[in-house]
């Protein structure tokens, strides 16, 4: 069944240290759990009759879903999944009830891997796994598989770029020594230092980085592989941007991404692992089964226990749809178009709106994160008014994000691979309207008068 070729159409919290279980000195600058529940108390059925509350795609009203996970999925994929859910692949049963030892089950797993390999041009030197547990479980699995055996006693390098690199390094610290690279003592990470200045252990077992941090809107699109010693595996959490730009998979030892942002719904980690790294020679002696790459690799069809098959199946439908739409190149162009719509508004607002990440080299295409003026005083009130109107009155989902060195929460617009251009045009229209209504009521003009070109550099 081919897809129709339709157009792609938190209250502030103080930073708190992680408990001792996360390792001595470990810290997070923002909690992962939300302190608010996004969305309006008004049902969508009532909201959708009002402007700026929805888009219309293939005749359906769709909510303004800006959630960072689980994220918006293509309507075409959802409708196909709906049509095939009860009778999946003419098997006489639903994908939700297939036994993991059955041929229909194995065919779906093989199909999911085949389309994923095609989408990202994954070489035969690398294995693909659909691990349970999302990317967070791989925060533990990577050190458990790479810091033991002949690597026992070696540290691991972690490039610090925001909240998710903090979480990954904190988890690794449970199992060995971690060398934090380019750490920002304030935990804001609005920029990344030049790779020539990185101070890291050149004898470490591996080098880890996060390619896009969702909290402040920072993305590393051109990682400097030449800065890493030859032979040191590079591991990358690419949850927030995998599939949004061409990538040379052969340069990575481990490349992994949570399913619920750019490929499917929640429950799975899309994991690409260089085959020689799946080895008992570098594993720790005590390793939980669900983190044991060797055990999964050696299982029949790489299925050791029951996977989250519904998520893998939706992912297969989705990657097939992405290939049909033009593959990674098409989604890179869409990512550029979407993000530029909002950056143009911000950059031409005369300082009314301001991003935290100023460098175009690191501005994320997947999350545009911004505030109003200084984010303090009257500007704080404007931020809150913006968020309350968007969330409470218009029913936008997940527009409020964590504070970033300002008293107010940040405004975050998430646009992963399947976010429609039409949705971001609604956001742009509201931003224009809000600025016109409030341009004279904030403190941003006096704030700008006392700042240089990078107003958040001193935070």
């Amino acid at each position: 069944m081919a897809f129709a070729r339709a157009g792609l159409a938190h209250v502030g919290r103080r930073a708190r240290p992680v408990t001792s279980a996360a390792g001595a000195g470990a810290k997070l600058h923002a909690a992962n759990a939300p302190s608010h529940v996004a969305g309006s108390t008004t049902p969508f059925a009532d909201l959708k009759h009002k402007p700026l509350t929805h888009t219309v795609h293939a005749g359906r009203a769709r909510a303004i879903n800006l959630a960072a996970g689980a994220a918006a999925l293509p309507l075409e994929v959802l409708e196909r999944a709906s049509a095939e859910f009860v009778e999946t692949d003419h098997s006489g049963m639903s994908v939700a009830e297939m036994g993991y030892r059955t041929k229909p089950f194995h065919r779906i797993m093989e199909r999911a891997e085949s389309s994923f390999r095609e989408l990202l041009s994954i070489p035969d030197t690398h294995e693909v796994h659909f691990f349970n547990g999302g990317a967070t479980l791989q925060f533990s699995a990577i050190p458990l598989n790479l810091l033991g055996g002949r690597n026992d006693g070696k540290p691991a390098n972690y490039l610090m770029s925001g909240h998710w690199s903090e979480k990954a390094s904190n988890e690794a610290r449970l199992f060995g020594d971690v060398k934090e690279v380019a750490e920002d003592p304030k935990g804001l990470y609005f920029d990344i230092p030049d790779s020539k200045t990185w101070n890291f252990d050149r004898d470490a077992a591996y080098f880890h980085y996060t390619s896009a941090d969702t909290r402040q809107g920072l993305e590393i699109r051109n990682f400097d592989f030449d800065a890493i010693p030859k032979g040191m595996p590079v591991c990358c959490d690419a949850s927030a941007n995998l599939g949004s730009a061409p990538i040379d998979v052969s340069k990575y030892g481990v490349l992994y991404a949570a399913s619920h942002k750019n490929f499917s719904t929640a429950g799975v980690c899309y994991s690409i692992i260089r085959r020689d790294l799946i080895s008992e020679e570098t594993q720790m002696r005590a390793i939980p089964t669900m983190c044991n790459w060797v055990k999964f690799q050696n299982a029949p069809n790489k299925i050791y226990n029951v996977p989250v098959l519904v998520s893998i199946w939706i992912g297969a439908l989705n990657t097939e749809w992405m290939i049909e739409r033009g593959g990674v190149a098409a989604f890179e162009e869409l990512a550029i178009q979407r993000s530029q719509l909002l950056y143009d508004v911000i950059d031409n607002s005369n300082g009314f709106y301001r991003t935290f990440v100023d460098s175009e080299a690191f501005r994320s295409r997947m999350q545009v994160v911004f505030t109003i003026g200084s984010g303090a005083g009257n500007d704080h009130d404007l931020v809150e008014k913006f968020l309350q109107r968007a969330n409470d009155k218009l029913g936008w989902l997940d527009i409020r994000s964590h504070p970033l060195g300002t008293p107010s929460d940040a405004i975050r617009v998430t646009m992963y691979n399947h976010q429609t251009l039409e949705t971001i045009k609604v956001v742009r229209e509201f931003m224009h309207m809000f600025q016109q209504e409030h341009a004279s009521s904030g403190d941003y003009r006096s704030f700008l008068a006392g700042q240089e070109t990078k107003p958040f550099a001193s935070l």
Side-chain angles (χ1 to χ4, degrees), residues 141-159:
I142 289 171
L144 283 165
N145 282 277
L146 299 182
L147 289 183
R150 64 170 181 260
N151 287 337
D152 187 31
K154 289 186 177 182
N157 293 309
Y158 277 73
L159 178 65

Side-chain angles (χ1 to χ4, degrees), residues 197-400:
T197 69
W198 293 353
N199 180 21
F200 59 92
D201 194 315
R202 305 187 73 82
D203 295 318
Y206 62 88
F207 190 104
H208 182 282
Y209 80 100
T210 304
S211 59
D213 197 283
T214 60
R215 187 183 58 159
Q216 80 278 31
L218 181 141
E219 183 177 7
I220 302 172
R221 287 185 289 273
N222 297 299
F223 182 79
D224 185 6
F225 288 94
D226 292 336
I228 310 305
K230 185 177 180 179
M232 183 180 293
V234 174
C235 305
C236 176
D237 174 6
S239 295
N241 66 348
L242 191 61
S244 69
I247 188 169
D248 186 350
V249 175
S250 68
K251 293 183 176 181
Y252 291 89
V254 183
L255 184 63
Y256 64 107
S259 58
H260 60 266
K261 296 180 183 294
N262 284 301
F263 295 104
S264 184
T265 190
V268 174
C269 184
Y270 282 60
S271 303
I272 307 167
I273 308 171
R274 205 175 68 209
R275 190 173 294 120
D276 64 291
L277 297 180
I278 305 175
S279 170
E280 292 179 344
E281 293 182 3
T282 55
Q283 284 186 324
M284 292 190 168
R285 282 176 290 182
I287 180 170
T289 297
M290 295 305 292
C291 292
N292 192 326
W293 295 343
V294 173
K295 192 173 289 289
F296 277 80
Q297 179 66 28
N298 293 337
N301 210 24
K302 298 188 287 192
I303 302 174
Y304 179 79
N305 73 323
V306 183
V308 187
L309 189 60
V310 172
S311 180
I312 296 170
W313 173 65
I314 291 175
L317 299 181
N318 187 52
T319 49
E320 291 167 358
W321 178 83
M322 291 177 73
I323 292 167
E324 184 178 319
R325 298 296 303 169
V328 170
F331 285 89
E332 179 182 33
E333 179 60 30
L334 180 59
I336 293 170
Q337 290 179 19
R338 278 190 314 242
S339 58
Q340 202 58 49
L341 282 177
L342 300 191
Y343 286 131
D344 283 348
V345 173
I346 293 166
D347 293 342
N348 292 289
S349 69
N350 294 318
F352 184 81
Y353 296 116
R354 301 198 68 88
T355 57
F356 296 90
V357 177
D358 289 308
S359 170
E360 290 189 10
F362 295 115
R363 271 185 167 182
S364 177
R365 296 171 181 167
M366 315 309 284
Q367 265 99 9
V368 174
V369 184
F370 60 99
T371 189
I372 295 174
S374 66
N378 289 340
D379 292 339
H380 182 176
D381 296 338
L382 285 181
V383 171
E384 193 59 32
K385 184 178 289 187
F386 183 106
L387 291 170
Q388 287 180 353
R389 283 181 62 182
N391 183 86
D392 303 349
K393 303 299 182 183
L394 300 177
W396 294 6
L397 300 172
D398 222 9
I399 184 72
R400 183 187 294 270

